[in-house]
Amino acid sequence: MSGIFHEAGFWVAVSFVLFFVLVGKKIWGPIATILDSRADRIREELDEAARLRREAEQMLEDATRDREQAMAEAKSYVEQAHQQAAEMAQKARAEAEAAVQRHEQMARDRIAAVERAAVKEVRQLAIDVAVQAANGVIPQTLDEQKAAGLVDQALAGLPAAFARKAA
């Protein structure tokens, strides 16, 4: 056993153990405190990172929901715009058709008025021609007795003619 005490490795081991036994309590406390504080800081940073991750995930969900809502609103606006455009086009078509029908009716009314005026004018011309012809022919072919008989006959038929006209 005496050989062990002469070995340098033995004395290094003994001095190492004595160093830690005597000084270890004083050094181990601050080292443990430093390591504990570092572990706490790392734990806090991990907790903060987890909290930030949850917040980021929540923000992503919110942004996704907002984007989907905005897309739905945009789609709704587009559908409403298409519907309003279709309604406006239908209304414009209806108004154009109504305007065309009004113009057609006005043209028909004008044509009918022109026809009535033309018929009236032709009748008036026929009456004028008939009166002139009668003025030329009656004095040559009718004597006074026949003329008086025609006048009496016309006066007698007048009440019946008025009755027909009134009915």
Side-chain angles (χ1 to χ4, degrees):
M1 273 219 148
S2 67
I4 264 183
F5 293 115
H6 293 303
E7 299 264 341
F10 172 73
W11 290 112
V12 169
V14 168
S15 64
F16 186 72
V17 169
L18 282 176
F19 176 76
F20 274 110
V21 168
L22 295 174
V23 180
K25 288 183 181 179
K26 290 182 181 178
I27 293 177
W28 186 252
I31 289 175
T33 305
I34 291 171
L35 290 175
D36 285 343
S37 68
R38 183 167 183 206
D40 289 341
R41 191 174 70 240
I42 290 172
R43 193 174 300 112
E44 287 174 3
E45 288 176 359
L46 287 174
D47 290 343
E48 178 70 14
R51 184 184 63 78
L52 290 174
R53 180 182 176 132
R54 284 191 303 271
E55 286 180 10
E57 288 172 350
Q58 183 64 38
M59 289 172 67
L60 178 64
E61 288 176 12
D62 292 344
T64 302
R65 187 175 35 249
D66 290 345
R67 182 182 58 85
E68 289 173 357
Q69 183 180 5
M71 291 297 287
E73 285 179 15
K75 185 177 180 182
S76 172
Y77 290 145
V78 168
E79 288 174 4
Q80 287 178 356
H82 282 295
Q83 186 178 19
Q84 287 176 350
E87 289 173 2
M88 290 174 68
Q90 181 65 27
K91 185 177 179 182
R93 261 188 243 112
E95 288 176 1
E97 287 177 11
V100 167
Q101 288 176 352
R102 281 193 307 271
H103 287 292
E104 280 182 16
Q105 188 60 42
M106 287 179 4
R108 286 186 193 129
D109 291 345
R110 286 180 191 153
I111 290 170
V114 168
E115 286 177 353
R116 283 191 302 270
V119 168
K120 185 176 180 182
E121 187 177 336
V122 168
R123 281 186 184 161
Q124 188 62 41
L125 285 174
I127 291 170
D128 290 344
V129 169
V131 167
Q132 286 177 356
N135 283 338
V137 172
I138 290 178
Q140 294 172 358
T141 59
L142 202 60
D143 61 2
E144 281 190 38
Q145 283 183 346
K146 285 183 181 177
L150 283 175
V151 170
D152 289 340
Q153 184 181 4
L155 288 175
L158 207 58
F162 282 137
R164 277 193 310 261
K165 198 75 150 156

